[in-house]
Amino acid sequence: MQNFGQNPRTSILQELSNGNVELGEAFAFIINDMVVQSGITNPKAESFDVVSESWRTLANKPEKTADDIKNLDEMFKGEVMFLAESYLLYMARETRNLTGKIDYAQYEAYMLKYRFGRYDVMNKPEYLNKIKVQIRNAFNKISAHGEPSGDNLIDKKDMAAYIYALSTKSKRDDNNKFLGFEINGLIKPEDYAVNENNLFQPDDNLFSVKLRIAYKVLFSTL
């Protein structure tokens, strides 16, 4: 994987030529198919498995050692980072961005074309304005990884936190008290629909919390 911080134009071109964008492209099509225009779950959509078969085999091991748990954590973070870089590369290719960081105008153009384009929103002014507000809310959350403010750019760390957050499920007790997050690496359509709805809202909500935690888990020791 290339370092976007050094010679970003050359780095992006090399990544695109190496074909690492293909996983991100597949991911984009699958998650866009998970929801219909209104954001309701598409009953015909497929789930997306972020982790490899080897990770899942180890995760299903009945009695895991301390090394097993450490390996699971490292493998999961590696899978998330690789997918995040590939997805960001795909977005960069589609928006003709060669910096490795997506600004709002590029993110909006991408979302209008690939998330909402099939619904002919450009010919529905009132609906288009509503969608743009949702897109702005999503961009603000992702680019600041759930914090109140950020640099107004989505880089590979922001995208990794987003992928990590999508790959977790909330755990609650019998009284519906929030207990934390469960990691299984599988993004299901019904879960994605809930996360996307939260992402599109302006308030600090559960997905904002997931983004903040994900960023700290991935990068707090760096």
Side-chain angles (χ1 to χ4, degrees), residues 2-8 11-12 15 85 88-89 99-100 156:
Q2 300 292 331
N3 185 346
F4 290 168
Q6 298 179 354
N7 298 322
S11 176
I12 290 289
E15 290 281 5
E85 290 188 4
L88 191 64
L89 283 170
T99 68
K156 63 179 179 180

Side-chain angles (χ1 to χ4, degrees), residues 68-79:
D68 289 336
I69 295 172
K70 180 181 178 181
N71 287 337
L72 281 170
D73 181 61
E74 292 177 351
M75 289 167 64
F76 183 73
K77 290 177 180 177
E79 298 280 1

Side-chain angles (χ1 to χ4, degrees), residues 4 8 12 88 92 97-102 154-156:
F4 290 168
I12 290 289
L88 191 64
N97 175 287
L98 296 175
T99 68
K101 297 181 179 181
I102 303 295
I154 297 177
D155 60 21
K156 63 179 179 180

Side-chain angles (χ1 to χ4, degrees), residues 7-208:
N7 298 322
R9 182 181 177 87
T10 301
S11 176
I12 290 289
L13 290 173
Q14 287 175 342
E15 290 281 5
L16 292 176
S17 65
N18 289 338
N20 290 341
V21 73
E22 293 178 359
L23 176 62
E25 182 175 10
F27 176 70
F29 277 94
I30 290 175
I31 63 172
N32 286 340
D33 192 50
M34 288 184 179
V35 287
V36 298
Q37 180 178 358
S38 64
I40 297 174
T41 305
N42 176 6
K44 298 180 180 180
E46 300 177 0
S47 298
F48 185 91
D49 205 342
V50 175
V51 299
S52 62
E53 191 64 36
S54 59
W55 185 94
R56 201 160 295 286
T57 298
L58 183 57
N60 291 331
K61 183 179 176 181
E63 296 182 7
K64 289 181 277 293
T65 65
D67 284 342
D68 289 336
I69 295 172
K70 180 181 178 181
N71 287 337
L72 281 170
D73 181 61
E74 292 177 351
M75 289 167 64
F76 183 73
K77 290 177 180 177
E79 298 280 1
V80 165
M81 286 299 300
F82 185 76
L83 175 56
E85 290 188 4
S86 185
Y87 184 42
L88 191 64
L89 283 170
Y90 175 68
M91 293 178 69
R93 187 187 73 181
E94 297 306 299
T95 58
R96 301 184 182 278
N97 175 287
L98 296 175
T99 68
K101 297 181 179 181
I102 303 295
D103 64 22
Y104 176 70
Q106 293 156 350
Y107 182 77
E108 180 188 89
Y110 173 84
M111 291 291 284
L112 287 176
K113 182 176 180 180
Y114 292 97
R115 169 60 178 88
F116 297 103
R118 52 187 162 169
Y119 306 115
D120 193 29
V121 296
M122 305 307 287
N123 293 319
K124 303 172 184 176
E126 291 185 5
Y127 185 59
L128 178 61
N129 290 335
K130 177 184 176 182
I131 287 173
K132 286 187 175 182
V133 172
Q134 293 178 328
I135 293 173
R136 168 57 81 173
N137 291 335
F139 178 83
N140 289 346
K141 280 186 169 71
I142 297 174
S143 63
H145 43 269
E147 298 292 348
S149 62
D151 61 1
N152 291 315
L153 293 169
I154 297 177
D155 60 21
K156 63 179 179 180
K157 287 186 176 182
D158 298 322
M159 190 61 77
Y162 172 64
I163 301 294
Y164 193 101
L166 289 178
S167 307
T168 62
K169 291 187 65 175
S170 303
K171 292 194 296 184
R172 297 180 182 273
D173 62 16
D174 294 337
N175 297 317
N176 204 34
K177 181 181 178 180
F178 176 68
L179 298 176
F181 298 110
E182 175 185 356
I183 297 173
N184 63 9
L186 188 66
I187 302 174
K188 297 181 179 180
E190 57 269 28
D191 296 326
Y192 179 80
V194 172
N195 286 324
E196 185 192 66
N197 179 64
N198 283 332
L199 191 65
F200 284 165
Q201 302 305 314
D203 57 312
D204 187 89
N205 51 39
L206 181 58
F207 198 74
S208 306

